[in-house]
Amino acid sequence: MRQNGILLDGNDYVHGLVATLVIVVVIGMFWGLYMWFSHKMKVMIDELTAKYERVTELERLESENVKRYRDTVLSRALQFMIVNLSTNEVVELTVPKNPEITMQYLQIHGIIKSNTYTDVAAYWLGKIELDNEESAHIFERENLMERYANGEDQLSVVFKAQKGDGRYSWCRQDVVLARNNRTDEIIATITIYDVHQQKLLDEAYRVQHKELQVALEQARQANQAKSTFLFNMSHDI
């Protein structure tokens, strides 16, 4: 009986030892999984942090480049507009030489009824002279969206714009079209420049070039007449 008790105590000891070993192994496995998971999470967090910092840096550089480009454009522009063609909304309107003139100013004074691009385009179309009716299409919202769909992303047109004193001055409107990747909306950046002096110089050059061509033709004809006269004189002699 005593031997059986000793045997039973020995079995309990073995069972306890095995159970302890199993618990230790299980704890070791969980600890190993925890350490592996912690390491993977740290690596992933470090990678995401690095990517975030890189994206933040790229966004900062892009923002600086956009600001630099914007400042350069505004320094030479008569008017600058950002238009959401998809929603027909003028997001921004700036007149660098008259900073107080904004969309809000135009609406308060009843110049523009709303901030829709259609209204703004109609207002400016009433104050300009175009060489032909086709040129007017560059101001139309639907036409701009259609052109962008056909692959055009930069457009330009030259026209005469009426100034405050009633006189007309030559201007050029440049349109840059792009799609907002986040909202899938079509955005137009519209800039108007004063090209009056350049247009006058171009016209003066054209007239001078034409006069030079006429003078060259007259000289050629005079030289031909001289050659013919000398040939006839030589033949008579």
Side-chain angles (χ1 to χ4, degrees):
M1 193 72 176
R2 184 177 178 80
Q3 291 178 351
N4 291 337
I6 295 173
L7 182 61
L8 288 174
D9 291 342
N11 289 336
D12 290 341
Y13 174 77
V14 172
H15 290 161
L17 183 60
V18 171
T20 301
L21 289 173
V22 170
I23 292 172
V24 170
V25 170
V26 171
I27 292 174
M29 290 176 60
F30 276 107
W31 179 256
L33 288 172
Y34 170 76
M35 293 300 293
W36 176 82
F37 181 76
S38 298
H39 173 70
K40 287 294 184 182
M41 286 297 295
K42 184 179 182 304
V43 172
M44 186 181 299
I45 291 173
D46 290 342
E47 290 178 352
L48 290 175
T49 301
K51 288 181 180 179
Y52 175 77
E53 291 176 351
R54 178 59 178 165
V55 169
T56 303
E57 178 64 15
L58 290 175
E59 288 179 347
R60 184 186 67 79
L61 292 174
E62 181 181 8
S63 178
E64 289 181 356
N65 290 334
V66 169
K67 184 178 183 302
R68 192 178 298 111
Y69 170 76
R70 178 189 175 86
D71 291 343
T72 302
V73 169
L74 291 180
S75 66
R76 299 183 292 111
L78 290 177
Q79 179 180 303
F80 177 79
M81 279 197 300
I82 298 177
V83 179
N84 186 328
L85 294 175
S86 298
T87 61
N88 194 24
E89 177 188 6
V90 177
V91 179
E92 178 185 345
L93 185 147
T94 304
V95 181
K97 294 184 179 180
N98 295 287
E100 71 280 0
I101 300 180
T102 61
M103 279 302 303
Q104 184 179 8
Y105 173 90
L106 296 176
Q107 288 181 259
I108 290 175
H109 288 77
I111 299 172
I112 302 294
K113 295 180 181 179
S114 70
N115 69 330
T116 63
Y117 173 67
T118 303
D119 285 348
V120 175
Y123 171 76
W124 292 119
L125 276 172
K127 290 186 167 294
I128 66 175
E129 289 184 358
L130 295 164
D131 294 336
N132 53 70
E133 294 183 2
E134 284 297 319
S135 299
H137 293 319
I138 196 175
F139 294 89
E140 297 174 358
R141 168 176 170 255
E142 293 78 7
N143 181 264
L144 290 175
M145 295 181 70
E146 182 179 351
R147 289 195 177 198
Y148 181 75
N150 292 332
E152 295 184 70
D153 57 6
Q154 295 187 23
L155 310 169
S156 184
V157 63
V158 177
F159 54 86
K160 284 184 178 180
Q162 188 176 21
K163 302 172 70 174
D165 56 6
R167 294 182 300 172
Y168 282 85
S169 178
W170 285 102
C171 298
R172 187 186 79 243
Q173 174 170 293
D174 293 343
V175 181
V176 178
L177 303 170
R179 186 180 297 277
N180 188 321
N181 294 327
R182 291 193 296 261
T183 62
D184 204 39
E185 296 170 333
I186 300 174
I187 307 299
T189 302
I190 302 174
T191 312
I192 299 178
Y193 298 97
D194 183 353
V195 295
H196 192 71
Q197 293 300 323
Q198 184 62 45
K199 188 71 175 177
L200 294 179
L201 288 174
D202 290 344
E203 182 64 21
Y205 173 78
R206 188 186 65 80
V207 172
Q208 186 180 30
H209 182 68
K210 186 176 181 179
E211 291 176 348
L212 287 174
Q213 284 185 318
V214 172
L216 180 62
E217 179 62 21
Q218 291 176 345
R220 189 189 67 78
Q221 292 177 358
N223 187 60
Q224 182 65 31
K226 176 184 176 181
S227 298
T228 302
F229 173 76
L230 292 176
F231 175 79
N232 291 335
M233 285 290 295
S234 176
H235 183 268
D236 291 341
I237 293 173

